[in-house]
Amino acid sequence: MTLTKWTRRCFMKSALLGTLAGPTLFAMGNESLNSEPVRASLPNIVLIYADDIGYGDLGCYGATAVKTPNADRLAEQGLKFTNAYASSATCTPSRYSLLTGQYAWRKEGTDILPGDSGLIINTNQMTLPSMLCSAGYTAGVVGKWHLGLGDGKSELDWNGDIKPGPLEIGFDYSFLIPATNDRVPCVYVENHRVVNLDPDDPIEVSYKNPIPGVPTGKTNRDRLKMDWSHGHNDSVINGIGRIGFMSGGKSALWDDQQIAGTLAEKSTAFIEHNKDKPFFLYFSVHDIHVPRVPHPQFAGKTDMGPRGDAIVEFDWLVGQIVSTLDRLNLTENTLIILSSDNGPVLDDGYKDQAVARVGNHKPAGPLRGGKYSIFDAGTRIPLIVHWLDHVKPGISNAFISQVDLIASLAHLTGQILTSQDAADSLDMLNTLIGKDHLGRDHIIEHSQFGTLSIRIGDWKYIESSDKSKVAWETGIETGNDAVPQLYNLKDDPGERHNLAAGHPEIVDKLKSMLEKIKQSGRTRS
Ligand code: NG6
Ligand code: CA
């Protein structure tokens, strides 16, 4: 294996971490962190990444049934994008693209992962944290991971060292929900270890067979705190049926109501520990993914039930980060990026009243579809960029994709990508920070069903697909159709009128561009 400059540096840091725990220790022993003058000029970077928050779920994007003052303040003082896209309509592929700069659909095995999957990012690949590490940053991830842990060859032992994971791809510190809050194991993993694990009560995880003696959502349905609507009926943890089976680890189980508080605590501690040197925090919030169990402090804050209340909790988390930065006088020198991994869903497997109580709220704003979908609601998401005195307040209609973050932040931090690195990431720094409104010339979207679409200007082409038109019991329209689709998003933002038959030349043009990008294996020349 040839080590690139990115991985060599990360390996050095990982070796250090093996002997010394904690996020504060990384100023030592790494020559790439010793260039003070560069460090002084680098802004901190905080990426607040929501789970399943849709284009219309925040006040600054038109929501009125839920108040999101903290996100709205960032939007007022910063730049709000109206044409920003996640790379995919679900979590794992969006996050894979975000961290690697490569479209997930180019790589097998990057769809929604079970909670016992191995790490799907190569440890010798350039990643967002390893690139920033080369620029002198200390990188931390707090929250949802869902990119696999372990080598994927042997079964992961949750009672031992859990690796490779974030620390092996460039992060210096990690505090994780290993997969999702609806998948086992329901424990936090800090760096390489499960937190609060009692060695006399080892954890066992299976995604194949029920574990004898452990109640499931089917056997114990009448005693659940929150009933399931589809799936989510394997092991019962904290009175809630999950995906996958687990036993043991009682002292390590998270408390669903406390997750937001715990993540706030860990992320603000990371900021405090690293306040004197440039840091990158990937704050990967669990809200508003199912099961939605917000802290009692937020319960009933909206008329929409747990889904609305979880948005309020998300906004509180945004406030926790901003007030920590303010308190430490870091706000002016911190680039805050707020976004979401995919579009919205109401019933994603639990009976939490999300459908019954949505009222007039439009989780996807004017867009059609939702999470899982190739229609725009699947991937068009809120994106707010805040950097006082550097990013002028305003609105940008430019096209930008989350896959562009690596190349853009490489530019910001003076890193040069080779042709092998982040093949689909375009340098959109000037667009990201509002110096121009040019953006990408195209956007590629990717659905849960593997369907791709390409948007150029107002035209969007969706390739034909014989897969399901509805995403199982969620009821969401997937956008799949046996015939090619063409929409003009200016006249028809809701993708209602398929114009393909009347505009064969536009269909051909978009289709051939999509094919070219697929075949070439890269976007950046
Ligand atoms: C689906 C789950 C859904 C959610 C999703 C992943 C069922 C029936 N549905 O398979 O609840 O967990 O996976 O969501 O199990 S994501 O935001 O992490 O991509
Ligand atoms: Ca998600």
Side-chain angles (χ1 to χ4, degrees):
M1 179 179 73
T2 332
L3 294 185
T4 64
K5 64 176 180 167
W6 318 106
T7 47
R8 258 198 308 273
R9 287 175 184 172
C10 292
F11 281 140
M12 288 173 64
K13 293 204 303 189
S14 303
L16 251 182
L17 227 212
T19 50
L20 304 168
T24 51
L25 303 166
F26 285 97
M28 334 167 26
N30 183 336
E31 84 260 344
S32 73
L33 297 180
N34 286 339
S35 46
E36 287 297 339
V38 180
R39 285 211 258 154
S41 63
L42 292 173
N44 307 307
I45 302 169
V46 176
L47 170 60
I48 305 174
Y49 205 51
D51 199 352
D52 297 358
I53 283 202
Y55 191 70
D57 273 327
L58 303 177
C60 47
Y61 279 85
T64 52
V66 55
K67 303 276 173 251
T68 54
N70 294 301
D72 298 354
R73 196 169 314 117
L74 289 182
E76 263 158 43
Q77 298 174 351
L79 191 58
K80 181 180 90 168
F81 285 83
T82 62
N83 282 309
Y85 288 81
S87 309
S88 299
T90 57
C91 163
T92 300
S94 280
R95 288 157 199 258
Y96 176 86
S97 304
L98 175 87
L99 292 185
T100 66
Q102 183 197 35
Y103 289 133
W105 46 264
R106 295 200 193 278
K107 183 170 154 137
E108 289 271 309
T110 54
D111 287 333
I112 300 173
L113 293 178
D116 63 348
S117 162
L119 177 67
I120 57 168
I121 297 178
N122 288 335
T123 51
N124 60 357
Q125 186 174 359
M126 194 273 279
T127 64
L128 183 56
S130 69
M131 181 277 291
L132 291 173
C133 144
S134 290
Y137 281 75
T138 299
V141 49
V142 173
K144 173 173 174 171
W145 183 238
H146 213 188
L147 292 164
L149 293 167
D151 63 12
K153 291 181 201 131
S154 47
E155 208 176 291
L156 187 66
D157 178 6
W158 293 92
N159 307 291
D161 266 350
I162 297 164
K163 61 183 184 184
L167 303 189
E168 286 68 33
I169 62 150
F171 285 104
D172 302 301
Y173 173 72
S174 63
F175 185 91
L176 306 179
I177 291 172
T180 59
N181 49 329
D182 58 353
R183 281 173 177 73
V184 302
C186 300
V187 295
Y188 298 116
V189 174
E190 188 167 32
N191 296 325
H192 289 142
R193 288 283 175 162
V194 168
V195 178
N196 281 338
L197 181 63
D198 172 359
D200 293 333
D201 182 25
I203 294 173
E204 190 185 336
V205 169
S206 169
Y207 271 76
K208 290 193 193 84
N209 303 311
I211 298 176
V214 179
T216 70
K218 284 183 185 152
T219 59
N220 272 40
R221 190 161 189 182
D222 52 344
R223 271 174 281 159
L224 295 174
K225 264 201 246 158
M226 186 190 282
D227 197 6
W228 47 272
S229 60
H230 55 281
H232 305 98
N233 49 29
D234 298 336
S235 290
V236 176
I237 310 288
N238 301 339
I240 299 170
R242 314 277 168 164
I243 305 173
F245 304 96
M246 83 172 276
S247 65
K250 290 225 161 36
S251 56
L253 295 178
W254 67 55
D255 173 344
D256 292 81
Q257 287 185 344
Q258 302 293 342
I259 294 178
T262 303
L263 300 187
E265 208 178 283
K266 295 294 170 183
S267 49
T268 53
F270 175 83
I271 294 174
E272 296 223 10
H273 282 139
N274 293 290
K275 64 181 176 4
D276 298 324
K277 48 190 189 256
F279 61 81
F280 164 55
L281 171 63
Y282 170 36
F283 187 28
S284 180
V285 175
H286 76 302
D287 281 317
I288 57 170
H289 197 280
V290 296
R292 302 172 183 124
V293 191
H295 188 271
Q297 167 185 2
F298 307 107
K301 289 285 178 209
T302 67
D303 292 331
M304 291 192 282
R307 186 177 186 278
D309 300 345
I311 299 175
V312 178
E313 184 171 85
F314 167 74
D315 190 65
W316 174 81
L317 282 166
V318 174
Q320 294 298 297
I321 296 291
V322 172
S323 60
T324 303
L325 294 171
D326 283 347
R327 176 167 55 79
L328 299 170
N329 278 325
L330 295 174
T331 310
E332 277 173 21
N333 196 32
T334 301
L335 170 63
I336 305 174
I337 301 171
L338 183 155
S339 199
S340 179
D341 66 342
N342 52 251
V345 52
L346 296 178
D347 178 354
D348 208 12
Y350 294 95
K351 293 187 181 170
D352 63 3
Q353 306 172 292
V355 175
R357 295 179 64 177
V358 70
N360 293 325
H361 177 69
K362 301 251 174 304
L367 309 178
R368 184 170 181 181
K371 179 176 179 176
Y372 308 115
S373 173
I374 196 64
F375 287 136
D376 253 38
T379 49
R380 207 194 305 180
I381 34 68
L383 172 67
I384 299 166
V385 177
H386 182 276
W387 188 12
L388 287 180
D389 300 334
H390 289 83
V391 172
K392 274 209 249 130
I395 293 176
S396 175
N397 301 322
F399 287 6
I400 192 159
S401 167
Q402 289 172 0
V403 79
D404 299 328
L405 218 54
I406 295 195
S408 308
L409 295 180
H411 179 177
L412 177 73
T413 57
Q415 299 302 295
I416 303 203
L417 304 185
T418 70
S419 59
Q420 273 108 62
D421 302 322
D424 294 303
S425 190
L426 301 181
D427 174 4
M428 289 291 129
L429 179 65
N430 287 338
T431 301
L432 188 74
I433 62 175
K435 283 202 177 144
D436 71 35
H437 288 247
L438 299 173
R440 288 181 150 246
D441 62 2
H442 71 276
I443 288 286
I444 292 188
E445 298 171 65
H446 171 230
S447 82
Q448 158 69 6
F449 299 82
T451 316
L452 295 178
S453 75
I454 185 165
R455 179 178 176 193
I456 299 182
D458 294 323
W459 291 104
K460 173 171 168 182
Y461 160 78
I462 304 177
E463 61 183 12
S464 60
S465 164
D466 54 10
K467 301 264 171 60
S468 172
K469 291 196 172 197
V470 178
W472 51 95
E473 289 90 339
T474 66
I476 290 174
E477 294 177 296
T478 60
N480 293 330
D481 204 321
V483 295
Q485 297 169 74
L486 180 73
Y487 296 100
N488 186 303
L489 293 184
K490 183 158 175 245
D491 305 333
D492 180 22
E495 296 169 87
R496 294 281 159 194
H497 308 290
N498 182 2
L499 303 176
H503 294 279
E505 70 302 341
I506 302 180
V507 169
D508 284 351
K509 190 178 154 213
L510 294 186
K511 185 176 175 182
S512 66
M513 181 148 176
L514 178 59
E515 286 308 319
K516 203 172 132 208
I517 293 168
K518 276 203 231 178
Q519 299 308 327
S520 66
R522 54 185 308 105
T523 308
R524 211 175 59 249
S525 47

